[in-house]
Amino acid sequence: MTEVLLKVDGLKKHFPITGGVLGKQTGSVKAVDDISFWVNKGETLGLVGESGCGKSTTGRMLMRLIDPTEGQVVFEGKNLVTLSDNEMRKTRKDMQMVFQDPFASLNPRHTVEKILEEPLIVHGIGTKKERKQMVNEMLEVVGLSSYHAKRYPHQFSGGQRQRIGIARALMTRPKLIIADEPVSALDVSIQSQVLNLLEDLQKEFQLTYIFIAHDLGVVKHISDRVGVMYLGRLVEITDADRLYEKPLHPYTRALLSAVPIPDPAVKREMELLTGDIPSPANPPKGCAFHTRCKECMEICKTDRPELREIEPGHFAACHLYS
Amino acid sequence: MEISTQKQMQPPVIKAEEKVTSPWAEAWYSFKKNKLALVGTGIVIFFILLAIFAPLIAPEGINDQKMSVRLQAPSADHWFGTDDFGRDIFSRVVYGARISLWVGTFAVMGSIIVGCLLGILAGYYGKWVDSLISRIFDIMLAFPSILLAIAIVAVLGPSLRNALIAIAIINIPNFGRLIRSRVLSVKEEEYIMAAKAVGMKDSRILFQHILPNSMAPIIVQGTLAIATAIIEAAALGFLGLGADAPNPEWGKMLADAKQFMIQAPWTMIFPGLAIMLTVLGFNLMGDGLRDALDPRMKN
C-alpha cells in the first residue's frame, strides 16, 4: 500500500499589509488560504495555477523558507511548523528544493564544485576526499562531466545550470524534492531534457516530487496526481489522467481548454476566462472563483465550498457537486 | 553508482580547453584595458615603493637640521629645497609617504571592518537592529565629517594614532550604509533562498554567500576612501591635530611652511604636490575598479 510522506493540513499564509504613520496592519494578502493535501512516497504531485495563486508560496512554506501563518506540515510524522530553527535546518537534509530561475539560484562567485559540496559540508557528510568524489559522481548523474566542477555558473547554459541546481538538491540524498517551476525559465527543447532527467532520477533515487508549474502540459507529463490552485486555495486534486479526462471544477476546465492542441484540424470549444484574477488582499466572498465562473450559483457568492471527495480519489471544491 | 541516465540524453558539450574564468579574473581583464586606471595604479605603486624604500631613497634623515642651508631653493644638492631648519624637503616628502599611506590604509581598513559588521547586521536582520544602526549612521553623517574628526581628536588628544582613529570612525557610516544596501538586495537573491533550503546556518550564509557578493562596491569605495583619508589626515596635520613635531606628515609640512610661503614657496609646493598625486592615483585606480567590478555603478 502507498505510504504518505508529507501531509499538509489547513496551511495558511497571510502577508500583512501595513500602512499609516504607525505601521498599523490595515489588511492582509491571503497568499495561501487554508489548503490541505498529502503526497505519497515515490509519487509526483503537480501543483498548477495562474501566477500569484500561491503555489510558490506553498512550496516555500513546506520547506519553512517562509513561516506559515497557520496549519501543519507533517513530514515523516514530524510537524515541521513546530520544529526549532536548528531542527528544521537538519530536516532539510531530507527535503530539498529546485528553483525556477537557474540564472539566479546559483551563487555567481562559487565554482560548481563548491556549490555542490556545500550541502555535504553543512550536513557533515563524508571527508573532503569523499565529498569531491560524490560531487564528480553527481555531475555525471545529471549529465554533466567531472571537468565541469571547476567552472563558474556563468559559463553554463540555462539547461546546464538547471542540471547543477538539480544536482545540488540531490547531494544529500533527500527523500522529497520540491521543484518550483524548474523548467519554466528554459527553452522548450531543453525543458524536455530536464523533465526526462527528473523522471530518471526519480526512479534511480526513489524520490518523491512536488512539482510546481503553470504549464499544464509539463505537469501532465510528469505528475501522478495534480492539484489545481486558484487564489490561494486548492480547488481540485486527483490523479493526473482523471484530471485531464474529466475535470470537475469549472476553473480546471477553463485551464485545460486553454492548453493548445498541436493540430489545426481539431476544433475545440474554448472556455475562455473573462476578467482578471481578483486581488488576494480582498478575495471574493464565498467561492473565490465565482466572479469568473460561468456556472456561478447564488450559493457560490456566499458560502465557501469545501474540498470534498466527489468520486473516490477525486477531490474538488465546488458547489456544483454538493 | 549506476549511470543509467547518461545514454538517453546528450550531455551538452563544452570544450575542455575553454579557459576557466572567475568573476575576479574577468574584472581584472577589463581593468587592464583601462589606461587611466593603470596610470592611477602606477602612481599608487610608485608611492608604496617610495614608502617601503624610504631609507634607501632619501638622501638625508627626516630631522637632519643644518642651519647653514635654511630655506634654500631646489638645487642639485637638495632637489626640493630645504625648510626653515635646513632639512632636506625631498627626504621629508619621501618619508611622509610612509605616514600618509599608513594612515590612509589603516584608517580605511578599520572603517571597513566595523562598517561592514554593522551594515551586515542591519541589512540581514532588519527590524529594530536595522533602525538602531541606521539611526546611529544618520547621526554621524549629520556632522560635517572633518568637524567630527576634530572633535574626536580633541577628546583623545592630538597624535597621529588618534588622527587615524578619528578618520576611521568618521568613515564608518559610509561603508556601513553601502554594505547594508548591498546586503538588502543580495539577500533577496534566489541563491540565498537556495542556501537556506540546503540547510545552511545564518553565519555561513552571511559570510560565504552574502559578503563575497557584496564586496565589489566596498573595494571600490575603499580605494576612493583612502584618498579622502589621506586628505583628512593632512587636514588634521595642518590644524596641528595629527603628527607630532619632527614627523614629516605632509599636512603638517604644509602648516609649518605657510609662514614662508612667499619667500620659499617650494616648502609648500612639494608636500602639496605629493598629497595631490597620491590622491589622484587612488582616485583613478578607484574609478577603474568601479568600472571593472560593477559597471552598473557608473554615474
Side-chain angles (χ1 to χ4, degrees), chain A residues 32 80 139 168 183 200-201 235 246 277 280 297:
Chain A
V32 174
L80 302 183
L139 280 172
R168 170 175 61 190
V183 296
D200 292 335
L201 293 171
V235 297
K246 200 185 160 204
I277 190 162
M297 303 177 293

Side-chain angles (χ1 to χ4, degrees), chain B residues 168-291:
Chain B
I169 291 175
I170 59 172
N171 280 311
I172 287 173
N174 295 328
F175 288 102
R177 281 187 147 191
L178 188 65
I179 196 112
R180 173 182 169 270
S181 66
R182 277 297 287 183
V183 170
L184 280 180
S185 77
V186 170
K187 80 169 179 180
E188 297 303 325
E189 297 276 353
E190 211 164 58
Y191 56 81
I192 300 301
M193 182 75 89
K196 249 185 225 168
V198 157
M200 286 180 212
K201 287 182 186 156
D202 276 3
S203 56
R204 192 180 182 91
I205 294 176
L206 272 176
F207 291 105
Q208 300 261 334
H209 292 261
I210 293 183
L211 194 57
N213 281 292
S214 311
M215 266 342 269
I218 291 295
I219 292 170
V220 174
Q221 179 71 28
T223 321
L224 296 170
I226 290 178
T228 327
I230 288 173
I231 292 184
E232 280 158 353
L236 287 175
F238 187 83
L239 295 170
L241 295 169
D244 309 325
N247 282 323
E249 203 274 319
W250 292 338
K252 177 107 178 68
M253 288 170 76
L254 284 181
D256 294 343
K258 67 176 182 286
Q259 23 183 335
F260 313 108
M261 198 161 68
I262 307 296
Q263 49 182 135
W266 54 88
T267 52
M268 203 158 215
I269 287 171
F270 292 106
L273 268 180
I275 296 174
M276 199 201 82
L277 264 180
T278 324
V279 170
L280 179 72
F282 275 107
N283 276 331
L284 289 178
M285 191 168 98
D287 283 346
L289 282 174
R290 180 180 55 201
D291 293 352

Side-chain angles (χ1 to χ4, degrees), chain A residues 60 89 92 99 101 104 107 109-110 114 118 122-123 141 143 147 151-152 154-155 173 200 204, chain B residues 1-2 5 8 11 14-15 19 21-23 190-191 193 196 198-201 204 208-209 213:
Chain A
R60 283 172 186 194
R89 205 173 59 71
R92 290 188 181 131
F99 289 86
D101 184 353
N107 188 334
R109 298 211 179 268
H110 286 182
K114 186 153 188 211
E118 229 175 358
V122 170
H123 294 289
V141 168
Y147 65 78
R151 289 169 197 255
Y152 287 87
H154 70 269
Q155 293 170 297
R173 297 298 152 85
D200 292 335
E204 199 168 329
Chain B
M1 193 183 302
E2 280 233 340
T5 53
Q8 305 142 8
I14 295 184
K15 275 181 234 129
K19 228 177 105 210
T21 51
S22 76
E190 211 164 58
Y191 56 81
M193 182 75 89
K196 249 185 225 168
V198 157
M200 286 180 212
K201 287 182 186 156
R204 192 180 182 91
Q208 300 261 334
H209 292 261
N213 281 292

